Amino acid sequence: MKMKSILSIAIVFLLSVNTYGQKLATLVVNETPVQNNSSSSYTDNKNTAIAVSRAILEADWKKLDDLLDVNFTYTGDGYVFTKDQYIGFMQDMRSAFSDFEMTLDKAVVENDLVSIKFISRAVNTGKFMGAPANKKHLEVNGIFMRKIKDGKVMQEWQTTDLLGTMTQIGGGSLFFYSVFVGGFNVKTKPPVRKPNDFLNIDGNADKFDKMTAKEKNKYIKKYKKDLKKKSK
């Protein structure tokens, strides 16, 4: 009986490891009541701001590209990114975490500015910000503000509990944080944008999400290797 119990526990453990981090990314939007005196641009700007987050969660890089103005800039948590660097950073982030669940809450819209509080939950299954994967469940809290004009996001400002996030990840990520926020004179490479098919297997990012952590990292390694060959 005791041996059967041990075997049962072992089987459950192995199954849980095999399916670890294989949930589809989800976006939850807690709708803010539309003000009676709001113009049509109120809803349009809010929807555009939300669409950026949705495109990132869905790994729809073409859609994200279309939503961002050609002169888009991002400023936040010690970073200043161009449009391509921003997309590259989001691609790296999206590939390094699994079981994404992002909640957008308390949207405030004032003319062309949309500010939204967010909570992101995910599992660290890949290398990110100088730290190896540790399979920890993370929760990231923050607020972003996006400036919208004619259906395009012109600028984004974001403040995140980045130190808290890096502390949860641990390892080399704390050094990476100190480099960007602490003002050390250490040069680091900016994020590099990958093609629009990155993380899209047969045109579907869901297939990437359903992979095990090992399969995901193998895919990413091969993708980057093949991309490097093509660029030569």
Side-chain angles (χ1 to χ4, degrees):
M1 180 67 70
K2 187 175 181 180
M3 181 60 70
K4 288 183 178 180
S5 298
I6 294 173
L7 287 173
S8 298
I9 294 172
I11 291 171
V12 171
F13 174 76
L14 288 172
L15 288 174
S16 66
V17 170
N18 189 46
T19 58
Y20 194 80
Q22 293 177 278
K23 297 178 183 177
L24 300 183
T26 58
L27 180 69
V28 179
V29 180
N30 293 331
E31 295 293 345
T32 303
V34 178
Q35 301 171 8
N36 293 330
N37 61 346
S38 296
S39 62
S40 59
S41 63
Y42 175 98
T43 301
D44 291 343
N45 289 346
K46 178 184 172 184
N47 289 341
T48 298
I50 292 173
V52 169
S53 297
R54 191 181 302 280
I56 294 169
L57 264 287
E58 294 177 353
D60 190 340
W61 312 122
K62 184 181 182 304
K63 178 66 174 178
L64 181 59
D65 182 273
D66 292 340
L67 286 166
L68 305 180
D69 184 76
V70 65
N71 295 314
F72 168 86
T73 58
Y74 168 91
T75 304
D77 301 321
Y79 303 92
V80 178
F81 291 150
T82 63
K83 176 180 178 177
D84 281 347
Q85 290 171 347
Y86 176 82
I87 295 176
F89 178 83
M90 291 305 172
Q91 289 175 321
D92 291 340
M93 180 272 297
R94 183 65 173 78
S95 68
F97 293 89
S98 301
D99 295 359
F100 261 105
E101 181 182 308
M102 186 176 194
T103 301
L104 302 183
D105 195 15
K106 296 180 174 60
V108 177
V109 181
E110 184 175 350
N111 298 322
D112 59 355
L113 297 175
V114 181
S115 180
I116 302 180
K117 177 181 178 294
F118 68 86
I119 301 174
S120 294
R121 297 180 180 87
V123 183
N124 180 205
T125 53
K127 185 178 180 181
F128 185 63
M129 299 185 81
N134 57 22
K135 295 184 179 180
K136 289 184 178 180
H137 291 257
L138 308 176
E139 181 174 300
V140 183
N141 293 268
I143 297 174
F144 64 75
M145 180 183 289
R146 291 170 179 156
K147 183 176 181 179
I148 318 294
K149 182 179 180 181
D150 299 327
K152 297 279 188 178
V153 180
M154 311 299 293
Q155 290 177 275
E156 178 176 336
W157 300 267
Q158 182 169 304
T159 177
T160 310
D161 181 15
L162 189 57
L163 179 57
T165 304
M166 295 301 98
T167 300
Q168 291 177 70
I169 296 176
S173 60
L174 290 174
F175 173 74
F176 193 96
Y177 175 88
S178 68
V179 169
F180 274 88
V181 182
F184 287 99
N185 294 319
V186 178
K187 291 185 178 180
T188 56
K189 294 181 180 179
V192 177
R193 179 176 176 176
K194 274 70 70 181
N196 291 337
D197 65 348
F198 183 59
L199 306 185
N200 288 269
I201 302 169
D202 298 329
N204 192 341
D206 287 354
K207 290 188 177 181
F208 174 80
D209 285 339
K210 291 178 180 179
M211 288 180 173
T212 62
K214 185 177 180 179
E215 290 171 334
K216 288 176 183 176
N217 292 324
K218 184 178 179 181
Y219 161 84
I220 294 167
K221 185 177 181 180
K222 184 179 184 303
Y223 185 96
K224 292 182 177 179
K225 184 178 180 180
D226 292 344
L227 185 62
K228 191 175 181 179
K229 287 182 179 179
K230 292 178 183 178
S231 63
K232 289 184 178 179

